[in-house]
Amino acid sequence: MTLEDIQTILNAAVLARRADLGVSIDRAYCADLMSDVLAFSVTNSLLITGLTNAQVIRTAEIADIRAIVFVQSKRPDMETIALAEGRKIPLLATQLSMFDTCGKLYANGLRSQSVDPA
Amino acid sequence: MTGGADEGVYFITGKDFTNAGAASSSLKKLLEDRGVPADIVRRFSIAAFEAEMNAIIYAVAGMMRYSITRDMVKVTLQDMGPGIPDISLAMTEGYSTAPDYIREMGFGSGMGLPNIKKNVDHMTITSVVGEGTTLEFDIALSPSP
Ligand SMILES: Nc1ncnc2c1ncn2[C@@H]1O[C@H](COP(=O)(O)OP(=O)(O)OP(=O)(O)O)[C@@H](O)[C@H]1O
Ligand SMILES: [Mg+2]
């Protein structure tokens, strides 16, 4: 699915002045622990998190995360948004809880690892 | 892959969370610019970032030296800090002494050092309590045959 599909499914706001919502996303990882993201996420994933500090953006950059969804109406500050813009990592913000965010995306076909059949 | 040997140093300031990760992020770019395969760049960046975060979280200051040759990237992160009393305990998954405010930032799950070890080819830690810690690691830059 595309980032735009994800935006629609989650009824999410886009926190970027220029974001390419056409990028294709086919896997996701959900965590509030950045070391878990670094240890277990796969490259080009969507990151779903409730943390909004600058370390989340740095972690995403290091782990080759393609885009980030902030759950539960949480918003990063402007500096953090600017950092993400500089790294070309689109940010979305949804009012949904983490559980509902993951549930909706899963129901629409998004998975944690590659969609390639095993 | 292009380019000869390349080396340098980044200075790291303890508790400087605004710039946390900046050194690892520029090293990542250096490797990308040299045409290093993406999976190797990712392994390297994750190790460098975990090491950098540890220095920022636990130490007063640190120096991150790197050297990149055609075949290998090597990092030595020497910090001035409390040191690690029991290195094998610190290497255990889940062991962490991080305070609550670090956990609120998403760190302190005790996964950093084990994850560095998992991603690099060689890693050594030496530490003197009350003086500081030196972490060294290297990764081969050509895909293994
Ligand atoms: N540079 C350092 N100086 C002093 N102590 C350190 C240093 N690096 C690691 N440690 C000690 O080793 C423990 C384990 O480190 P590790 O990086 O594995 O986990 P963490 O930093 O606690 O959490 P995480 O890396 O998952 O965010 C730390 O909690 C700390 O007690
Ligand atoms: Mg750590």
Side-chain angles (χ1 to χ4, degrees), chain A residues 60-82:
Chain A
E61 178 192 8
I62 293 295
D64 294 328
I65 294 292
R66 187 156 284 187
I68 303 174
V69 175
F70 298 112
V71 300
Q72 204 95 63
S73 304
K74 292 178 184 163
R75 299 291 178 106
D77 60 23
M78 285 201 284
E79 254 176 68
T80 304
I81 294 172

Side-chain angles (χ1 to χ4, degrees), chain B residues 14-141:
Chain B
K15 311 285 181 293
D16 179 7
F17 294 104
T18 317
N19 293 305
S24 305
S25 142
S26 24
L27 279 173
K28 181 180 196 227
K29 273 186 213 89
L30 265 179
L31 291 188
E32 281 168 351
D33 291 349
R34 289 171 76 104
V36 174
D39 57 323
I40 298 178
V41 173
R42 189 171 191 264
R43 279 169 53 214
F44 171 81
S45 313
I46 288 172
F49 184 60
E50 289 284 14
E52 184 181 356
M53 285 309 302
N54 278 355
I56 289 165
I57 293 169
Y58 303 107
V60 173
M63 229 169 34
M64 191 170 182
R65 293 183 188 286
Y66 66 90
S67 113
I68 309 169
T69 60
R70 198 171 53 91
D71 303 321
M72 193 172 88
V73 56
K74 182 178 165 174
V75 163
T76 306
L77 207 170
Q78 182 185 1
D79 74 45
M80 258 177 84
I84 303 177
D86 184 341
I87 290 174
S88 64
L89 184 61
M91 288 296 302
T92 311
E93 278 190 17
Y95 176 82
S96 176
T97 62
D100 283 348
Y101 80 95
I102 294 295
R103 286 168 210 269
E104 278 156 26
M105 269 189 268
F107 287 87
S109 53
M111 293 297 292
L113 291 174
N115 199 24
I116 296 172
K117 190 168 171 65
K118 196 180 88 189
N119 279 292
V120 304
D121 293 333
H122 305 100
M123 161 184 176
T124 55
I125 305 181
T126 51
S127 189
V128 178
V129 172
E131 298 278 331
T133 301
T134 300
L135 173 79
E136 225 170 50
F137 65 82
D138 61 65
I139 297 182
L141 288 183

Side-chain angles (χ1 to χ4, degrees), chain A residues 22-39:
Chain A
V23 295
S24 162
I25 305 267
D26 59 6
R27 52 193 92 167
Y29 190 80
C30 165
D32 281 351
L33 288 173
M34 294 303 112
S35 285
D36 280 353
V37 176
L38 293 164

Side-chain angles (χ1 to χ4, degrees), chain A residues 37-97:
Chain A
V37 176
L38 293 164
F40 303 118
S41 71
V42 294
T43 187
N44 288 328
S45 296
L46 175 77
L47 173 62
I48 301 155
T49 186
L51 284 190
T52 56
N53 60 44
Q55 272 66 50
V56 176
I57 312 299
R58 296 283 191 196
T59 300
E61 178 192 8
I62 293 295
D64 294 328
I65 294 292
R66 187 156 284 187
I68 303 174
V69 175
F70 298 112
V71 300
Q72 204 95 63
S73 304
K74 292 178 184 163
R75 299 291 178 106
D77 60 23
M78 285 201 284
E79 254 176 68
T80 304
I81 294 172
L83 185 66
E85 280 190 344
R87 301 300 186 270
K88 299 204 167 51
I89 300 171
L91 306 180
L92 301 184
T94 178
Q95 294 183 350
L96 297 175
S97 70

